[in-house]
Structure formats: structure tokens, C-alpha cells
Amino acid sequence: MFSRLIYRNAKRNRKENLIYFATLVTAVASFYIILSLGRQDVILFLKEFESDAIDKLLAQMPIVYLFSLFLLFFLTLFANRYQLNRRSKEFGLYLMLGMRKERLILQLLAEGFITSILALIGGILIGGFLAEIISLTVSKLVGQGIIGHQISLSVGAIFFTIVGFLFIQFIALAILGGRLFNQEVHQLLYEQMDKKQDMGHLKGNVINILVGSILLGAAYWIVLYRFMDFAGLILFAALALGSLGTILFMRGFAKLLGLLASMSERKSTKGLHTFTLRQFQENIANRSTSVAVTSILIMLAIILLTDGASTIMGLENVYTRGPAIYDFTVNSDNQKAEQFLTSEKMVSYVEDLNFLEIGQMKYQDEQGEDDLPLSLVDWSKLREQLIMALPSNYREQILSGEMQYYDISSENPEALNLFGVLEIDATKPYLIPETSYNGLLEAIGETPLNLDSDEIALYFNPDFMPMDDVESMPVLDRILEDALEERQSLMSINDQEVFIHPSIPMRGLVADRSVEITSAFIVPDQMFEQLLDTETYVSYWNFCIPQRLQEQQGLMKAMMEARDLLQSSGFEFESYLQNFGRKLFYVVAGSYTTLYLGFLFLIIACTVIALQFLTQMKQTGQRYVTLSVLGAKRKQMKQSVHRQVLLTFLLPMSLACVSGAVGIRAMISFVIIYFDDQVLLYPIALTFACLVLGIFVIYGVAVARSADHEIDKLRWKPNID
């Protein structure tokens, strides 16, 4: 009998409080997804290249999980308190019929346990399904055939999801059970009296609104103009000011809503206009702090979802080869490496094989006045031309000696970046022989260089040098073309005049990072041998995966097969997979956590708003009975309730949208949120805006239907409709 009572009550509670149960299922699913991250295909793939970074990412997941449990605990406590208030008469009757309080609390715990088990089953099933969909989708996006997908079930994720979820449910129910134990029978039977609504004084409420607005304005100013001061620490002050300003603004605004009810006398008795505003005012007046907290949670959700969206947009950059053209670089100059790369088992994976030599130019034999070695390069004429090409403010700073350090940045004029690089590198430049760079040009289908004995070309690495177009540098090209027309030499090496070849395509020299130089001189092979400092000499073998093999197997699969063969050879090498994996890791690490937390904040905020409204609906239910006595129709009352739901959801969301927009604007300004592709920006922004709006609509419709159900259960006067 007792067990059937528990089961029946648990079933009824889930039906009557479907919003809360659905939120629990969603939370369990999200817990499983974040805890099973290490089993997803994309993470297993990335572990092969970024194992340390992936381990650090996975090490942060327990912190995210515990933080999520902390938030869900307060949601559970709040929701179960609503359940107790709604069922207080029922509990009072149980006690009057002879049930002991201990048994009543045991019943409450058992009902919560059944609901939790069902939420766990539903959440884990949904979470497992979504985890597989996410894994398959990301694997498909980053390249067909990366990994043979296998359905995986994370036992560890299931275990920690169950343990953590049941733990917070037990603690919340134990706290509320203790509160129930201390209540007397008459308190339960007659429920809690409605709290007297303290609307304060007009002057005090206006002051609250003004102070709140000033604090919010100060927070917005800090975020927009002082975002990175003190290494971003001032951001915490902005968050504190904004939170306090939100609370004060909500408190003052809620208590002044009564003015709106009396502004229009014509509508005051039409459609329960005054009643609707008074109910809305009462719903938020003494709950202004919780309304402000939900607004802050929605603001954080908007910012985090936007950040996640911008990171997902970065997924496009994962496919972009950029300036890199080679798939593999083998760090060896001996004949064995060449023999292996041209062997029968490797030849099908090798195309555009190129031997790259590189080293720095040696110094003059004699020392300078300060006993420092003298450079063989005199680039004073080119230096003068670059200074003349600078904007006047930069030119004056350089000529006066005020500018001593040079930052290479995409924000700088091209001439300033060129000047800064050559000012540092031209003293002892890196040298690349003409034949090595010609191999690179042939690989991309460009015409090889044909340098004269007194001619060189300037190379700038696009991996480290900001360029709008890797095919040309307009300022440098103009200077060199003018010099070529006048047959003017802008540079001399070892007291011999040399001419600079204009307009050569710039590409990455290796597959990933083994050559980290900013600039170099491309010189004829004979000049390379004469000017090379042999102690700095290094060489590499570069090659690409054949296009035919890419079309048959896909680039990633072919590269992984070639990588396995190279690993068995014992040669040191690097591959584009490392660059690809590094960029993919940034996308995964930057999107998974932020999207998860943003979504969690959003559903918690919506659930709190929903339960707060339904709590007030339960406490003021008799007012609707009174309205029926006064002649109001049931349809009118339901319309009033629907307006109350709309206003209750719109108020915190409106302020959250303003604060969120300010936060997003600041993060874009300081390139914390970066939208590179403006074409994709608006569709993705619209998608996430629709997601947030859709969640609000779902919760709003669910609350309205629950409120309608509460109205239908009331004792109406005969023939009300």
C-alpha cells in the first residue's frame, strides 16, 4: 500500500510539474555529454597530435561538472520547495490520518528517488544519443574518413552522472525534509499566507532605478573601454557593478509597476488589464533579486553561446591550408632519407618531393669599432625607401629615434611591418638557395625563379608576417619596380651591388613549425654556398600527398597512412596533421565548454522563472475564484495569465539582451570573440538567437499550459462560462 502510494504520487508529480522533470532530464543528458567527451571520435583523433593539450582539456571537465552540479543543486532545492508548498495540504492530511513525520519524509525521499531514476534513464539515453550525433557530425565536418566511427558508451561518464545527480537530489530533499519535519499540522493544512507586498515609497523606488542605471552604465563603460586593464582583473569589478545594478534596477522597476496600472483609465477595467499588471508586479516585487539573478544568467548564456558560435565559425579555418603547401617535412639531409622517400612502399604517397636548404649569412671577417661583427649586407637605400613609404606619424617617430621597438601586426601599415622585420633580420639574414624555392614554386604551379648572379629575392614568411595577399606585397612591389625601371640597386652584399627581384609568391617553407623564420634572402645557389655560415646550415625533405590518392581515400586517411610509414622508418618528421590537429583542438576546446555552460545557464534561468511564476499562481489561486464571482469569464482569466507569463519572461530577458550585447561588443573589439567570415556571421548569429528564443518559447508555452491547468482545477461558481 505504501509503495503504491509512493509510485502514484511520483507519477502525478511528474505530470503536474513536467517543466522541472524535463529540465532534470536535460541536465542529466548534458552531464553525460560533457563527461563522455574523452570517448568522442574527434578527441581520440586529436590525442594522437595534441595529447598534452587534450589531457589538460579533459582535466578541466571535472571542474565544469562540479560547477554544473553546484548550480543544479540550487535549482533542485528551489523546485522541490515549490513542490512542498503545492502539496502542503496533502502532507497535512497524511499527518492528521496518523502518518508519522519520519514516514512522511521517507515517502518524500522515495518519490524523489523514483523521479531521479527516471530522469537518469531518460537523460543518459538522450545524452548517449546526442553524444554519438555530435561525434559523427564533428568527424564529418573535419574530413570524411578521419576515423572509423565506433559506437562507444562511457561507463565512467554514466557512473559519475548517476552518483553526482543522486547526491545533489538527496541533499536537497534532506534539507527540505528537515523543514517539513519542523512544521506543525495546521501550518501545512492552511498553507503559507501570502506575504505582504512591500512596494516601498515612490522616492526610494526611483532612487533604486537611478542608482541601478548608474551602476549598469559604469559596468558597461568599463567593459567597453577598460576591458583588458590590469590583465582583465577589472572585469570582475565590472561584473560586480553590473550585478548590483541589475538587482537595484529590478527592485525599483518592479515596485513602480503599479504606476502603469493606473496610467490608462480606459483600459483599466477592460480585459483584466489592471489585474494583470498587479499580478505581474506582485510576482517580481518581492522576488526582484531572483529575477535579477535570472537576468544575469541569461546574459551569461547569451555571451557564452555567442563565444561558442564564433569558435564554431573557426571550424572553417581548420580546412584552410593557408600558406602551407607541404603535407610532410622530414628533418634529414642524408641519402637514406631520399632513398626511403623514393622507395616502393612510399612512392605512392610522395609528390613534389623537394630538398630545402636554409642557413644564415656569415659576418665580415673584421670586427667593428665596438668589437661587434660587421654585417655583409648594406640595405640603407631600401631602408630609406621604406621610411618614405610610411605614414608621416610613423616616419617622424623613426627618424627622431623615438621608435626603438617594432611590433609586427595586421593593424600596422605594410611598410612598417616590412621595416620592422628587415631592421632586425637584414643584419644576418637567412639564406635560401634558388633551387630549393623553385621546387616550392613548381609545387604550386608557379613559374620558377631565374635569378642573375647579382640578383636576389626577398622572402617573408606568411605564417608570421601579416599579408592580405600571399602573392604580392603592394608597397614593396612598387618600390622594387621603380628601382628596376631606373636600374637602381637598393642593396649591396659584401660590397657588391645586388638587384632585388619583385613579386614572388610567398608560401610556408615546411609542413608545420620546424622552420620559424620571418624573412630570408633567396639567392642563386653559388651565392648561397659562398655566403653561408655553415654552423647554421639545416636541410629538410618536403613532399605532398598526391592529388589522385586524396581523391580516392581522402586527405586525412592518406596522411595518416603515410605518417605510420614514416614513424616506422625512424626519421624525425612533422606533418600538416599537427597543424590541422592544433587548430581543431582550439575549436573543440573553445566551443564544447562554452556552449555547454551557456545552454546550462539558459535552462536554469528559464526553469527558475517558470517555477517562480507557478509558485505565485498557486498562492494566489483564490483570486481567480473571486474574479469569477465578479463576472469574469474563464477565457478572460486565461488570457490574463498568458500576458503575465509573457511579461514575466520578457522583463529579465530584455535587460539581459542589453547587457549581453554590450559584453559581446567588447569581446569583439578586443578580439576575444572573433568573426572572420562576415558571410557566415549573420546565419550563425540568427541560428543561435532562434535557439535562445525557441527555448524561451518552449518554457513560456509550458508555463502557460500549466497555469491554465491550475485555473481549470479551481472551484468555480456555477455556469461561469
Side-chain angles (χ1 to χ4, degrees):
M1 182 67 181
F2 184 60
S3 60
R4 284 198 299 178
L5 178 65
I6 291 172
Y7 176 77
R8 186 173 65 249
N9 286 342
K11 182 179 180 180
R12 185 192 65 195
N13 291 335
R14 289 193 304 275
K15 184 178 180 181
E16 292 182 350
N17 200 6
L18 189 60
I19 296 173
Y20 174 58
F21 181 72
T23 301
L24 291 183
V25 172
T26 305
V28 171
S30 64
F31 286 162
Y32 176 82
I33 291 172
I34 204 70
L35 289 174
S36 64
L37 189 61
R39 301 280 302 194
Q40 291 193 16
D41 287 346
V42 67
I43 298 297
L44 296 174
F45 170 69
L46 286 174
K47 266 193 169 182
E48 301 186 39
F49 317 106
E50 295 288 325
S51 58
D52 292 339
I54 289 296
D55 289 340
K56 290 178 181 178
L57 172 65
L58 295 178
Q60 301 299 317
M61 289 304 103
I63 299 175
V64 176
Y65 169 68
L66 292 175
F67 179 67
S68 304
L69 283 179
F70 175 76
L71 293 176
L72 192 64
F73 167 74
F74 287 101
L75 177 64
T76 304
L77 193 65
F78 180 80
N80 283 318
R81 187 175 64 181
Y82 161 70
Q83 291 267 47
L84 290 182
N85 291 337
R86 187 175 57 83
R87 299 175 62 194
S88 60
K89 281 187 179 180
E90 177 189 344
F91 293 147
L93 286 174
Y94 287 149
L95 294 177
M96 285 192 68
L97 292 173
M99 181 181 287
R100 291 182 292 110
K101 285 188 175 181
E102 293 83 356
R103 194 171 180 83
L104 179 60
I105 293 173
L106 179 62
Q107 174 187 330
L108 182 66
L109 291 173
E111 291 173 9
F113 179 75
I114 292 174
T115 300
S116 298
I117 292 298
L118 293 176
L120 281 168
I121 294 172
I124 289 174
L125 290 176
I126 294 173
F129 175 75
L130 290 177
E132 294 299 322
I133 295 297
I134 292 171
S135 183
L136 282 169
T137 302
V138 177
S139 297
K140 181 72 175 178
L141 286 174
V142 300
Q144 180 69 27
I146 285 183
I147 310 173
H149 176 73
Q150 295 181 353
I151 296 177
S152 60
L153 189 67
S154 176
V155 178
I158 293 176
F159 174 77
F160 284 107
T161 299
I162 293 174
V163 170
F165 184 74
L166 290 180
F167 176 74
I168 63 170
Q169 286 283 70
F170 175 78
I171 295 297
L173 289 172
I175 292 173
L176 293 171
R179 179 186 173 189
L180 178 63
F181 189 85
N182 293 324
Q183 285 187 313
E184 299 297 331
V185 176
H186 73 276
Q187 291 177 302
L188 295 172
L189 285 173
Y190 295 101
E191 304 183 21
Q192 287 186 335
M193 299 296 292
D194 292 351
K195 292 182 179 179
K196 183 180 179 181
Q197 300 301 312
D198 177 19
M199 299 303 171
H201 300 287
L202 177 62
K203 183 178 179 181
N205 294 332
V206 171
I207 290 175
N208 278 336
I209 291 179
L210 290 177
V211 173
S213 301
I214 291 171
L215 292 178
L216 282 171
Y220 294 161
W221 181 82
I222 291 173
V223 167
L224 289 173
Y225 300 104
R226 293 292 183 267
F227 192 84
M228 298 304 293
D229 285 4
F230 304 104
L233 293 178
I234 201 170
L235 183 61
F236 292 101
L239 184 60
L241 289 174
S243 301
L244 182 59
T246 301
I247 293 172
L248 291 176
F249 182 86
M250 287 294 184
R251 180 174 299 173
F253 179 78
K255 295 180 179 180
L256 285 177
L257 278 173
L259 295 176
L260 295 177
S262 58
M263 286 178 64
S264 176
E265 295 182 2
R266 184 177 61 85
K267 293 184 178 181
S268 60
T269 58
K270 183 180 179 181
L272 301 179
H273 176 74
T274 302
F275 176 78
T276 300
L277 285 178
R278 291 295 186 187
Q279 284 287 99
F280 173 53
Q281 179 186 23
E282 185 175 322
N283 189 32
I284 63 172
N286 281 351
R287 299 182 180 92
S288 56
T289 300
S290 63
V291 174
V293 170
T294 57
S295 181
I296 294 169
L297 288 176
I298 296 169
M299 175 201 69
L300 293 174
I302 291 172
I303 292 175
L304 289 172
L305 290 174
T306 305
D307 189 20
S310 71
T311 309
I312 288 176
M313 289 177 65
L315 189 62
E316 183 186 9
N317 296 328
V318 173
Y319 313 112
T320 305
R321 292 301 299 263
I325 64 167
Y326 292 117
D327 296 320
F328 287 92
T329 297
V330 179
N331 303 354
S332 177
D333 62 345
N334 57 40
Q335 295 298 318
K336 290 183 179 180
E338 183 180 12
Q339 292 173 3
F340 175 76
L341 294 174
T342 55
S343 65
E344 184 177 352
K345 64 179 180 180
M346 277 297 297
V347 69
S348 60
Y349 296 97
V350 177
E351 187 175 70
D352 297 318
L353 183 64
N354 181 35
F355 185 55
L356 172 67
E357 298 177 281
I358 193 168
Q360 286 186 284
M361 183 184 292
K362 60 187 178 182
Y363 286 115
Q364 293 185 23
D365 295 333
E366 64 271 14
Q367 303 286 326
E369 296 179 358
D370 49 3
D371 293 331
L372 293 176
L374 295 175
S375 173
L376 293 174
V377 179
D378 178 8
W379 68 291
S380 56
K381 294 180 181 179
L382 176 59
R383 185 178 188 274
E384 181 181 345
Q385 292 294 322
L386 288 174
I387 291 175
M388 294 301 297
L390 288 170
S392 58
N393 56 329
Y394 290 108
R395 186 188 314 132
E396 292 172 2
Q397 292 180 48
I398 290 175
L399 293 176
S400 65
E402 182 181 346
M403 183 178 290
Q404 298 291 331
Y405 303 98
Y406 308 97
D407 292 327
I408 309 304
S409 169
S410 58
E411 303 296 326
N412 292 341
E414 178 190 328
L416 183 62
N417 284 331
L418 289 169
F419 181 85
V421 168
L422 291 174
E423 187 80 345
I424 298 171
D425 290 354
T427 303
K428 190 178 183 181
Y430 282 94
L431 303 176
I432 301 173
E434 180 183 2
T435 52
S436 288
Y437 204 78
N438 278 344
L440 184 149
L441 292 175
E442 291 171 358
I444 60 175
E446 294 287 346
T447 304
L449 297 173
N450 186 18
L451 299 177
D452 295 331
S453 58
D454 61 348
E455 190 177 16
I456 69 169
L458 294 178
Y459 169 78
F460 296 95
N461 193 337
D463 288 325
F464 305 100
M465 185 80 168
M467 297 183 185
D468 294 330
D469 182 7
V470 294
E471 301 296 331
S472 65
M473 303 184 75
V475 173
L476 181 63
D477 291 343
R478 178 178 55 78
I479 293 173
L480 297 181
E481 288 170 1
D482 290 345
L484 188 62
E485 289 179 3
E486 300 174 3
R487 291 301 299 170
Q488 179 185 7
S489 169
L490 299 178
M491 185 182 297
S492 66
I493 299 177
N494 201 17
D495 296 329
Q496 299 294 321
E497 288 189 344
V498 294
F499 296 91
I500 303 174
H501 188 285
S503 296
I504 65 166
M506 311 290 183
R507 294 294 190 278
L509 298 174
V510 290
D512 190 26
R513 289 183 168 180
S514 56
V515 177
E516 294 186 342
I517 65 172
T518 307
S519 67
F521 291 176
I522 301 172
V523 298
D525 292 9
Q526 184 178 1
M527 187 184 296
F528 178 80
E529 295 174 359
Q530 294 173 351
L531 301 177
L532 177 68
D533 180 355
T534 55
E535 294 182 359
T536 64
Y537 174 82
V538 288
S539 60
Y540 308 87
W541 287 96
N542 292 311
F543 68 91
C544 300
I545 298 294
Q547 187 64 34
R548 171 186 53 81
L549 197 61
Q550 294 182 39
E551 294 172 356
Q552 291 177 355
Q553 300 182 358
L555 176 61
M556 293 302 150
K557 185 177 180 181
M559 289 182 70
M560 293 180 74
E561 291 177 356
R563 181 205 61 185
D564 293 339
L565 290 173
L566 284 169
Q567 285 177 338
S568 65
S569 70
F571 292 115
E572 291 185 7
F573 70 94
E574 67 180 19
S575 72
Y576 177 69
L577 276 173
Q578 293 166 291
N579 188 13
F580 178 87
R582 192 177 303 115
K583 291 191 289 187
L584 182 58
F585 167 75
Y586 293 143
V587 173
V588 171
S591 62
Y592 272 47
T593 305
T594 53
L595 288 176
Y596 168 74
L597 289 176
F599 181 71
L600 189 63
F601 285 156
L602 186 60
I603 63 170
I604 287 176
C606 289
T607 306
V608 169
I609 296 173
L611 294 178
Q612 181 173 290
F613 182 87
L614 293 176
T615 299
Q616 190 239 14
M617 182 75 189
K618 176 66 177 176
Q619 292 174 346
T620 62
Q622 290 302 314
R623 298 178 186 178
Y624 295 90
V625 176
T626 304
L627 285 176
S628 71
V629 174
L630 296 175
K633 301 295 184 182
R634 189 177 305 185
K635 181 179 179 181
Q636 288 178 306
M637 287 182 269
K638 288 185 177 180
Q639 289 176 345
S640 172
V641 168
H642 296 168
R643 293 191 191 100
Q644 293 173 45
V645 172
L646 180 62
L647 293 172
T648 301
F649 275 82
L650 279 181
L651 177 61
M653 187 178 183
S654 300
L655 186 56
C657 288
V658 175
S659 300
V662 172
I664 292 168
R665 179 68 184 86
M667 295 176 77
I668 291 175
S669 299
F670 291 93
V671 202
I672 295 173
I673 292 179
Y674 180 62
F675 293 104
D676 186 32
D677 192 342
Q678 297 296 325
V679 176
L680 286 176
L681 168 60
Y682 297 105
I684 291 182
L686 181 62
T687 300
F688 277 89
C690 291
L691 173 65
V692 174
L693 186 60
I695 292 174
F696 262 79
V697 170
I698 291 171
Y699 271 87
V701 171
V703 171
R705 293 185 63 179
S706 297
D708 288 348
H709 182 63
E710 289 291 332
I711 289 179
D712 290 334
K713 290 193 306 182
L714 294 174
R715 287 182 169 181
W716 300 103
K717 74 171 187 176
N719 303 321
I720 182 176
D721 290 334

